[in-house]
Amino acid sequence: MKTSPIHALTGLAYYPDYFDWGAQDALLAEIRAIVAEAPLFQPVMPRTGKPFSVKMSNCGPLGWVSDINGYRYQPAHPDTGRPWPAMPAALTELWDRLAPEAPPPEACLINFYEPGARMGLHQDRDEDMFDAPVISVSLGDTATFRVGGTSRKDPTRSFRLASGDVVVLGGDARLAHHGIDRILAGTSTLLKNGGRINLTLRRVTAA
Ligand code: SIN
Ligand code: FE2
């Protein structure tokens, strides 16, 4: 008998296979065009300057960046100084469908994980407001996603996110700790050279 219950946070929603293969492929083509214009950059940890294991870009009016001075949102690419490319319609439609009450998303962070990359447990809390959810889309290799509670000490659970899956962190789960433990290399053929792309949509400013 297993006696440890799983306390699921309300507001955490998982949509396996939200995007079918054709939709994933179309979205990937749009992301490639965005990255051609706004190249992947190498974020580093504030203060220490230690590089992240993921590379990043953004689309939408604002983009999330991390450098020696801290985490922040800014309207331009840190290397090129150009505005971020527009957000693909498939992503704004996803937001409208899953977060119809929320004001439009302002930032879409593009994280690129090579096999071996990971993302430590953290909260998404650089936004001015937490009423809107965070919506994430996974493309490419499957990842093990870990999610806990609003306190760092809360117990965590992990589950796999495959290509086309969508996760919503809203309500009580909006400030849940989460991270990526590992990428399961060779689990998807969507990206020709393997790896994983995660797209995270966020509302940054109060409406
Ligand atoms: C993130 O929390 O920024 C990324 C989560 C993910 O890669 O699924
Ligand atoms: Fe996050």
Side-chain angles (χ1 to χ4, degrees):
M1 184 168 62
K2 283 195 177 172
T3 55
S4 54
I6 290 163
H7 295 285
L9 290 165
T10 57
L12 169 66
Y14 171 47
Y15 297 83
D17 288 323
Y18 184 95
F19 290 104
D20 65 17
W21 179 268
Q24 292 169 40
D25 211 37
L27 188 51
L28 178 63
E30 297 198 84
I31 298 303
R32 283 199 202 291
I34 287 165
V35 169
E37 196 180 322
L40 291 170
F41 62 91
Q42 177 64 71
V44 300
M45 289 298 291
R47 294 190 311 277
T48 62
K50 186 176 180 288
F52 283 54
S53 61
V54 298
K55 292 196 171 57
M56 295 180 173
S57 188
N58 289 274
C59 56
L62 292 171
W64 188 86
V65 301
S66 178
D67 62 20
I68 199 91
N69 299 314
Y71 305 133
R72 65 190 172 276
Y73 284 94
Q74 60 183 46
H77 191 288
D79 298 337
T80 68
R82 289 200 300 267
W84 303 107
M87 224 182 272
L91 297 178
T92 52
E93 282 160 17
L94 168 72
W95 181 275
D96 291 347
R97 183 165 300 174
L98 300 190
E101 316 282 277
E106 293 172 298
C108 173
L109 173 64
I110 301 167
N111 284 138
F112 178 67
Y113 296 77
E114 308 225 44
R118 54 186 300 283
M119 171 88 63
L121 208 63
H122 67 277
Q123 291 172 295
D124 286 9
R125 52 181 304 165
D126 300 319
E127 300 73 34
D128 294 342
M129 60 92 116
F130 304 121
D131 304 340
V134 170
I135 299 185
S136 106
V137 181
S138 294
L139 294 173
D141 284 339
T142 298
T144 46
F145 178 70
R146 182 167 295 281
V147 60
T150 49
S151 163
R152 218 188 154 74
K153 287 173 288 186
D154 288 341
T156 62
R157 304 186 57 196
S158 76
F159 57 99
R160 289 178 177 195
L161 295 182
S163 197
D165 291 358
V166 168
V167 173
V168 179
L169 294 179
D172 291 344
R174 173 63 182 78
L175 290 170
H177 284 76
H178 60 278
I180 294 292
D181 290 345
R182 61 192 212 96
I183 304 298
L184 306 176
T187 44
S188 168
T189 54
L190 186 74
L191 276 66
K192 273 189 289 296
N193 298 319
R196 171 175 185 261
I197 293 172
N198 178 258
L199 309 171
T200 317
L201 299 163
R202 306 184 185 123
R203 176 75 197 187
V204 178
T205 65

